[in-house]
Amino acid sequence: MNKLAASPGFLHGGDYNPDQWLDHPEILKQDLKFMQQAHINTVTVGVFAWALEEPTEGVYNFGWLDRVFAEMAKIHGHVILATPSGARPHWLSQKYPEVNRVDENGRRHTHGFRHNHCYSSPVYREKVRQINTKLAERYGQNPTLLMWHVSNEYSGECYCNLCQANWRRWLQRKYSSLDALNRAWCLSVWSGLYSDWSQVLPPSPLGETKVHGMDLDWKRFVTAMTIDFYQQESQPLRELTPNIPITTNFMADGPANQQYTPMVGLDYSKFAKAVDVVSWDSYPEWHNNYETVAETAMKTAYIHDQFWSLKQQPFLVMESTPSFVNWAQYNKAKQPGMHILSSLQQLAHGSDSTLYFQIRQAQGNSEKFHGAVIGHDGTTDNRVFQEVATYGAQLEKLAEIKGATKDVHVAIIFDWESQWAFDRGGGFGRPTRLGIQTLQKHYAIFWGQDIACDIVTPDADLSRYKLVVAPMLYLQRPATMQALQAYVAQGGTLVSSYFSGMVDEDDRVLLGGLPTPLRELFGIKRRELDTLLPGEHYHVRYGSKIYPTHDYDEVIEAETANVLATYTDNFYQATPALTQHHYQQGTAYYIAARMDRDFLTAFYAKIIAKLRLANSFVIAPSYEVSCQTRFQNGYQYHFLMNFSETPKTVKLQRSTLDLLTGTPVEKKVSLAKYGVMVLREKA
Ligand code: GAL
């Protein structure tokens, strides 16, 4: 068992930068006292500390870090030690300018900012190996070391000559011959055929941006290079400290853009295989002016569930904010109660930690107005600190839940490659592709009824699920279609939709309409697709009701499928909009148009009833009160969370024990605005 798995209780703490306060020894002393008061047991140190750790090449300075380890040992805390490659020191960029990235316009960047080094540079890789080796030698056996935090939020790409050479090598390994590459990327279009490997460049606004197969491969290559860099960076840690788990913090997209989805730039399903534990940085925009708190909670829940699903194991929230961020358009404070509610939501969905950015607020520079546990007032006498401390004390009462698992019967399929291809392809509606947002619309139906979901890739073991939801699965390999067929043949229930099975793994259109395996599976033929304008809606009759369509209406023909709903207008009036097909032991549903929540609620209600998916603890779940359950040692732990602006009463099937107060709880409970309870019962 690795050290993290063996350590009891949840991790509470986060990024700590004593390196910014070295000339204030009194502050460091104070921090430790405050950490104890806030029930903080873990600090992540050294994330961007290379310039301090190695002030000039080959000269090391670890005294300050030794003191952090020693101080944390005094309070029986843990250190998550970062490797510092996320921000390099000036001397390194100055002496070896090739470590700086070249952008897609061919410009070599100068030193500055962070997360922007070349992944190919042999010098950078060597310098990283050296510093990481020093860190592993010095702290690897220190009992306070809990885990490695490798680099920080890997992202981005480099177009330098070294990366270009690696790109060509990667393509040569994949395709073996130029002919195969020319065919895969359909290069007879616009005279793109290569006659020599040296002609192959990365996609760039200065040259080629229209070859979709190239874009898709470039994204695969960037993921492969990033993982390769991470592996090499981790190698000395693995060799010198085999029992210390390694992670790197993953990210989400768009919190400042009125959406919130897992990051799509890197294929995390591949990256997750290389880390010992998945961790991510969670920054939802609570209390925004474009959606309800419950809606923000739903999107955040989706991301937690996706990070759980990557390994089907507890993950860590590596960063979150105790109050506000500094990079949004409007950086709102969390309202009273939201810190505890949003933090317990992390645990509810499978996190074994609540870690913050950061413990002490910086005095200067770019993040000085980012929220922190210890603010500029330097006291514990403020609301943010008090809420963190209350939460810390609660976490100690919940310690037995750490490591608990989940019991999930619904899977939603998300594939990074499909998403890349779908976003890139021309045609249809540019602003209305909404790939992940559409998945979140389906997810919302289940989340709103307290039915747990996994978010998995097409190669996952689908046989574990009673229901698989795979709308808009645009790119499909033969293996994906076979897996979907096999899942339904063996008794599974599958829901898919328009935009599924459109292109192959090279982003070439699958000819002949809906590919044969999907045609057999859904019992339909695909005819055509109409893209709707903003505000343009046609309608679908389903049961006794009429529902509007949005963005896309696909025209299909039922061959062997039953028609459950039809369009009521436009040139496809009376044609099928929803079909059901019994395929061997199972059932496959096909939704032809983009439908809203009302339709999806009515549609899934029947499936939920038939498959007996309903939550067995909460009576009549409401959208704004969420219940998520974890399981361990013969107990179930229900997290009841009120994401509404008013108090709520919740009726339960059974009486339980309130773990936070230690008192028995009847079958009816009241939750304050943003209130939360953790209830235990025998499984
Ligand atoms: C994260 C980053 C941290 C800090 C934080 C602020 O993306 O890893 O270092 O910048 O954002 O929200």
Side-chain angles (χ1 to χ4, degrees):
M1 198 191 279
N2 72 39
K3 235 180 142 177
L4 175 66
S7 88
F10 291 107
L11 306 185
H12 186 222
D15 280 29
Y16 181 48
N17 288 102
D19 37 316
Q20 293 173 9
W21 300 94
L22 292 182
D23 47 357
H24 291 272
E26 75 290 353
I27 281 187
L28 296 182
K29 283 244 143 18
Q30 199 188 47
D31 286 347
L32 219 63
K33 216 171 69 208
F34 287 178
M35 282 186 218
Q36 283 178 288
Q37 287 176 32
H39 304 265
I40 281 176
N41 56 28
T42 303
V43 294
T44 305
V45 282
V47 181
F48 300 114
W50 197 340
L52 196 67
E53 290 167 352
E54 190 179 358
T56 55
E57 190 170 8
V59 175
Y60 298 97
N61 162 33
F62 292 124
W64 66 277
L65 199 48
D66 293 349
R67 282 193 291 282
V68 176
F69 272 87
E71 296 293 322
M72 284 311 286
K74 280 190 204 152
I75 63 165
H76 308 292
H78 307 292
V79 171
I80 297 177
L81 184 55
T83 65
S85 70
R88 57 200 171 283
H90 276 280
W91 60 258
L92 212 159
S93 311
Q94 189 177 37
K95 182 161 174 198
Y96 309 103
E98 68 268 37
V99 304
N100 294 321
R101 270 185 200 167
V102 170
D103 66 23
E104 68 273 29
N105 290 309
R107 291 175 311 193
R108 168 88 61 192
H109 287 200
T110 55
H111 184 93
F113 205 55
R114 57 179 189 172
H115 304 151
N116 54 6
H117 56 84
C118 168
Y119 290 129
S120 297
S121 161
V123 176
Y124 199 60
R125 284 176 174 233
E126 174 55 17
K127 290 290 155 198
V128 166
R129 193 191 62 74
Q130 287 169 5
I131 183 83
N132 291 3
T133 304
K134 289 279 174 211
L135 289 169
E137 284 169 353
R138 195 170 185 100
Y139 302 107
Q141 305 311 317
N142 191 310
T144 304
L145 176 66
L146 181 72
M147 185 164 57
W148 291 109
H149 174 299
V150 170
S151 202
N152 194 65
E153 295 189 336
Y154 284 110
S155 61
E157 51 213 18
C158 173
Y159 295 76
C160 74
N161 289 338
L162 292 167
C163 286
Q164 292 192 26
N166 277 332
W167 161 236
R168 278 187 286 275
R169 264 195 292 277
W170 185 88
L171 289 171
Q172 278 167 335
R173 269 201 304 276
K174 176 168 178 185
Y175 291 103
S176 303
S177 75
L178 265 188
D179 262 4
L181 177 66
N182 282 329
R183 269 198 308 276
W185 290 359
C186 289
L187 289 174
S188 45
V189 174
W190 291 2
S191 203
L193 296 168
Y194 295 117
S195 56
D196 192 278
W197 281 102
S198 61
Q199 295 157 359
V200 183
L201 302 174
S204 154
L206 298 175
E208 191 57 79
T209 59
K210 294 284 186 199
V211 176
H212 295 171
M214 176 196 269
D215 282 354
L216 188 54
D217 271 335
W218 174 256
K219 288 199 157 57
R220 290 180 176 126
F221 164 76
V222 169
T223 291
M225 280 299 289
T226 310
I227 297 174
D228 185 69
F229 185 90
Y230 160 88
Q231 296 279 29
Q232 191 166 340
E233 176 160 13
S234 307
Q235 204 181 336
L237 315 177
R238 291 225 181 273
E239 279 167 20
L240 295 166
T241 64
N243 70 333
I244 304 291
I246 303 181
T247 191
T248 183
N249 44 347
F250 292 165
M251 282 189 276
D253 275 337
N257 203 17
Q258 307 206 355
Q259 53 169 319
Y260 201 35
T261 64
M263 187 177 97
V264 289
L266 291 174
D267 185 341
Y268 282 149
S269 68
K270 298 216 161 60
F271 212 151
K273 297 194 170 86
V275 300
D276 297 325
V277 52
V278 167
S279 65
W280 80 286
D281 299 343
S282 178
Y283 293 105
E285 261 199 302
W286 298 111
H287 322 293
N288 60 53
N289 57 359
Y290 50 83
E291 65 190 3
T292 61
V293 160
E295 217 50 30
T296 311
M298 179 277 292
K299 293 176 182 173
T300 310
Y302 175 97
I303 310 178
H304 286 312
D305 284 344
Q306 178 150 21
F307 285 124
W308 164 275
S309 304
L310 286 176
K311 275 191 175 303
Q312 300 286 336
Q313 274 171 19
F315 56 91
L316 299 178
V317 169
M318 187 56 82
E319 294 179 22
S320 58
T321 178
S323 46
F324 38 77
V325 295
N326 69 329
W327 39 257
Q329 198 64 5
Y330 303 98
N331 300 281
K332 266 192 87 60
K334 279 180 179 171
Q335 295 201 12
M338 181 48 81
H339 179 63
I340 291 177
L341 174 62
S342 59
S343 301
L344 282 173
Q345 189 197 24
Q346 303 165 356
L347 269 52
H349 286 269
S351 175
D352 272 354
S353 69
T354 293
L355 298 168
Y356 309 118
F357 180 87
Q358 56 183 339
I359 291 183
R360 178 176 275 278
Q361 197 168 23
Q363 186 178 13
N365 222 312
S366 68
E367 295 188 310
K368 62 179 179 291
F369 293 125
H370 195 288
V373 177
I374 305 168
H376 291 142
D377 66 342
T379 76
T380 58
D381 182 22
N382 61 70
R383 183 176 69 85
V384 170
F385 185 91
Q386 292 300 331
E387 285 199 38
V388 168
T390 305
Y391 178 63
Q394 291 184 345
L395 275 184
E396 287 169 3
K397 296 190 175 137
L398 303 178
E400 67 189 72
I401 308 176
K402 187 210 163 206
T405 184
K406 307 206 286 187
D407 185 28
V408 185
H409 301 286
V410 179
I412 294 180
I413 296 190
F414 174 75
D415 180 19
W416 270 264
E417 298 197 349
S418 180
Q419 178 66 28
W420 292 337
F422 184 55
D423 273 349
R424 188 62 192 85
F428 317 117
R430 266 271 131 232
T432 51
R433 305 219 158 210
L434 304 176
I436 305 182
Q437 290 79 354
T438 302
L439 296 187
Q440 287 178 333
K441 273 220 168 80
H442 287 253
Y443 174 86
I445 307 299
F446 300 97
W447 180 84
Q449 296 180 53
D450 303 331
I451 299 168
C453 290
D454 280 348
I455 320 290
V456 301
T457 47
D459 58 353
D461 172 12
L462 301 180
S463 68
R464 293 184 303 160
Y465 301 104
K466 292 184 186 167
L467 172 66
V468 171
V469 178
M472 297 170 69
L473 191 52
Y474 176 76
L475 179 156
Q476 292 199 27
R477 298 179 157 80
T480 303
M481 299 185 214
Q482 274 159 24
L484 295 177
Q485 260 196 350
Y487 166 71
V488 179
Q490 286 153 27
T493 300
L494 173 70
V495 176
S496 190
S497 77
Y498 61 95
F499 276 137
S500 290
M502 303 272 289
V503 301
D504 68 11
E505 65 178 289
D506 298 314
D507 204 357
R508 290 180 306 195
V509 172
L510 290 159
L511 300 178
L514 193 64
T516 307
L518 299 182
R519 192 170 151 185
E520 288 169 7
L521 180 54
F522 294 103
I524 59 164
K525 250 190 199 164
R526 184 174 264 165
R527 288 301 187 191
E528 57 180 307
L529 182 84
D530 192 16
T531 297
L532 308 187
L533 302 172
E536 185 181 14
H537 303 284
Y538 298 98
H539 298 87
V540 165
R541 183 190 306 281
Y542 178 52
S544 58
K545 281 204 172 151
I546 306 269
Y547 300 87
T549 67
H550 301 255
D551 304 332
Y552 300 104
D553 287 356
E554 189 180 28
V555 187
I556 59 169
E557 188 184 311
E559 293 188 300
T560 45
N562 306 319
V563 176
L564 301 186
T566 47
Y567 291 106
T568 62
D569 40 14
N570 209 351
F571 64 89
Y572 32 87
Q573 185 182 11
T575 67
L578 170 67
T579 59
Q580 174 204 48
H581 190 224
H582 298 297
Y583 179 77
Q584 298 186 29
Q585 308 294 309
T587 310
Y589 295 88
Y590 192 91
I591 307 174
R594 182 169 286 169
M595 305 303 295
D596 58 20
R597 191 169 282 178
D598 286 347
F599 173 90
L600 292 177
T601 304
F603 165 65
Y604 280 118
K606 296 201 172 117
I607 296 181
I608 288 169
K610 189 168 152 225
L611 300 178
R612 297 170 188 276
L613 295 170
N615 187 293
S616 61
F617 180 57
V618 178
I619 298 171
S622 77
Y623 193 79
E624 292 172 317
V625 177
S626 175
C627 175
Q628 299 288 326
T629 303
R630 290 180 72 175
F631 296 78
Q632 177 138 282
N633 296 333
Y635 287 111
Q636 322 188 31
Y637 300 92
H638 307 290
F639 292 74
L640 274 190
M641 300 166 276
N642 181 4
F643 290 105
S644 80
E645 309 296 333
T646 53
K648 294 277 173 191
T649 304
V650 185
K651 287 196 188 138
L652 306 169
Q653 296 283 4
R654 298 172 293 275
S655 32
T656 50
L657 181 83
D658 180 335
L659 261 196
L660 291 174
T661 61
T663 52
V665 169
E666 290 310 311
K667 292 189 196 168
K668 193 164 155 194
V669 296
S670 300
L671 291 168
K673 166 184 173 181
Y674 302 160
V676 47
M677 287 178 123
V678 185
L679 304 177
R680 188 181 78 181
E681 64 168 337
K682 281 241 151 55

